Amino acid sequence: GAVVSQHPSRVICKSGTSVKIECRSLDFQATTMFWYRQFPKKSLMLMATSNEGSKATYEQGVEKDKFLINHASLTLSTLTVTSAHPEDSSFYICSAVKEPRSPLHFGNGTRLTVT
Amino acid sequence: AQKITQTQPGMFVQEKEAVTLDCTYDTSDPSYGLFWYKQPSSGEMIFLIYQGSYDQQNATEGRYSLNFQKARKSANLVISASQLGDSAMYFCAMRVYNTDKLIFGTGTRLQVFP
């Protein structure tokens, strides 16, 4: 089956630093990747849609300068949380699709804690 | 706009009993898919079952079945013969194919007791 690897699984950083989260499709090429954020005991909120070779499309209310998304290749998308603050602490999950309308495959998520 | 609603924040069920988790949705797009995912405390999203908007029959996958009522815009998940390992968060999600985005409901926490 299709595997999506997300790294790191947990990260703790100090306020003001930047953190990069990687999402890799291991055995397929992903034309599109999606980034979600989940607050404790809440739903997954779509942050942005990332297509290889083009700029990410952000959902309303998501700061594009705060959450930088780069989809540099068909197997890798990165989310960088810039100048992180405690309110950015959350669970971030990526998902990838091989082609439009094909099944989504999720990474195992990254738990970010900003101190 | 698309919307998914799960009105049950928490549900309890006894082991070996069946349980229904409710989900209603709203979209004006005729082509969409409905999904259920399980999220244990470890956080990963586990795909359970899928129903396409044009599917005539209700989807089934082992102990999971989806009660799809298109006119009512509901897609309830039925888990038969509940097991202790079924305790988790359950999310209903909708994917509208003109955007390909997957949108989630607020989730239902299911607890199975002996």
Side-chain angles (χ1 to χ4, degrees), chain A residues 34 36 38 41-44 46 49 59 91 93 97 99-104 106-108 111, chain B residues 31 37 39 41-45 89 91 95 97-107 109:
Chain A
F34 301 92
Y36 292 86
Q38 185 178 28
K41 299 184 180 181
K42 297 291 184 183
S43 185
L44 281 76
L46 180 64
T49 303
E59 295 297 304
F91 191 60
I93 308 177
V97 293
E99 56 196 18
R101 301 197 177 198
S102 64
L104 271 76
F106 283 87
N108 284 342
R111 193 165 302 281
Chain B
S31 181
Y37 287 86
Q39 187 182 41
S41 56
S42 52
E44 72 266 31
M45 298 297 287
M89 279 292 288
F91 290 99
R95 191 172 178 197
Y97 290 117
N98 66 351
T99 65
D100 230 14
K101 298 178 186 178
L102 187 66
I103 300 168
F104 287 86
T106 50
R109 180 167 296 282

Side-chain angles (χ1 to χ4, degrees), chain B residues 3 5 24 56 65 68 74 85 91 104:
Chain B
K3 189 176 180 181
T5 302
T24 58
Q56 295 296 313
S65 60
F68 181 45
S74 73
F91 290 99
F104 287 86

Side-chain angles (χ1 to χ4, degrees), chain B:
Chain B
Q2 290 81 39
K3 189 176 180 181
I4 289 276
T5 302
Q6 293 179 255
T7 57
Q8 305 156 315
M11 289 285 284
F12 288 89
V13 65
Q14 190 166 30
E15 200 176 8
K16 299 180 185 176
E17 296 294 312
V19 63
T20 298
L21 306 184
D22 295 341
C23 174
T24 58
Y25 61 93
D26 190 22
T27 180
S28 56
D29 199 293
S31 181
Y32 53 89
L34 297 159
F35 300 76
W36 278 91
Y37 287 86
K38 174 183 178 182
Q39 187 182 41
S41 56
S42 52
E44 72 266 31
M45 298 297 287
I46 301 170
F47 166 74
L48 297 178
I49 197 166
Y50 164 80
Q51 180 87 41
S53 59
Y54 296 116
D55 293 343
Q56 295 296 313
Q57 295 197 330
N58 287 345
T60 60
E61 288 285 348
R63 294 187 298 113
Y64 305 108
S65 60
L66 200 152
N67 184 0
F68 181 45
Q69 297 190 39
K70 195 170 183 177
R72 294 186 177 183
K73 294 191 174 179
S74 73
N76 298 340
L77 176 70
V78 180
I79 305 175
S80 62
S82 296
Q83 302 172 356
L84 295 177
D86 294 335
S87 295
M89 279 292 288
Y90 287 81
F91 290 99
C92 180
M94 176 171 65
R95 191 172 178 197
V96 175
Y97 290 117
N98 66 351
T99 65
D100 230 14
K101 298 178 186 178
L102 187 66
I103 300 168
F104 287 86
T106 50
T108 297
R109 180 167 296 282
L110 177 66
Q111 295 186 63
V112 182
F113 59 95

